[in-house]
Amino acid sequence: MTATVETPAPARRRSAPRRWATALWAAYAQAVAFGSGAVTAFLAADAAAEFHTASNARLWPLGAFAIGFTLAACSVPRTGPLGRARAVGGIGAGALALLALAAALAPGFWFAVIACGLLGAAAGTVVAVSGRVLAAAEVGDGSASTALSAAALLAGIAAGVLALLALPLYGWRGVFGLLVVAAVLAAWKFAEHVPNDT
């Protein structure tokens, strides 16, 4: 008769909350990345108007963001150890914060276009890596990871709508400043809660 070794119940109970914390903060990072796209989409014309840009070029910051986002999201690997995902995601969220700050402080239109392009690349990186972390977390029966990712997308779109509401109060630069705060929190908590597995 062979003996079976089972994981003690307390250990199982401890691991589930850790998985949920990992998944929730990964979803938050993904929401901030999607939100940066929504904010750029809704505020690109206002930012360009402040620089007295021609009307036919006012969506260039959004176009630059979209190109950067697509290139990064398609090139960042979605497999591999979580430790690498933790490092890439944390750096990506930190870069997102710095680039949102660069967009907020842009001295000219072309500076804003370049900042938004690089912001898109950082956001695409965070979305891809956060998706990898959500899949690995396997919260619930696994379907919760998909639900969290969908909720992150909806939250990002909602952030864009809130950006429009905040625009009269803070201006487009102030709204990008709020994005900086959200991205700093994402970088901090992503690095804290994603396991450093090799």
Side-chain angles (χ1 to χ4, degrees):
M1 181 174 180
T2 59
T4 58
V5 178
E6 293 187 4
T7 305
R12 285 197 299 268
R13 282 196 297 270
R14 284 194 303 269
S15 64
R18 281 199 298 268
R19 285 199 306 273
W20 271 103
T22 297
L24 289 171
W25 284 110
Y28 172 76
Q30 206 170 55
V32 171
F34 284 131
S36 67
V39 167
T40 304
F42 287 127
L43 302 185
D46 293 278
E50 182 176 315
F51 298 120
H52 308 291
T53 307
S55 58
N56 61 351
R58 289 188 178 179
L59 292 181
W60 285 21
L62 176 59
F65 182 97
I67 291 169
F69 184 95
T70 303
L71 290 175
C74 292
S75 60
V76 173
R78 290 170 174 78
T79 58
L82 279 182
R84 185 171 63 195
R86 176 178 180 265
V88 173
I91 292 170
L96 198 154
L98 289 174
L99 291 163
L101 181 62
L105 300 177
F109 178 69
W110 290 110
F111 188 99
V113 170
I114 293 169
C116 286
L118 295 174
L119 179 65
T125 300
V126 171
V127 166
V129 172
S130 296
R132 157 81 179 103
V133 172
L134 280 168
E138 296 180 341
V139 289
D141 61 354
S143 62
S145 295
T146 304
L148 284 172
S149 192
L153 175 58
L154 293 176
I157 295 170
V161 175
L162 292 174
L164 284 178
L165 297 177
L167 183 61
L169 294 174
Y170 301 107
W172 69 269
R173 293 181 187 273
V175 174
F176 271 101
L178 295 175
L179 181 61
V180 171
V181 176
V184 167
L185 180 61
W188 169 30
K189 291 298 183 180
F190 191 91
E192 179 182 355
H193 288 283
V194 175
N196 196 21
D197 299 342
T198 55

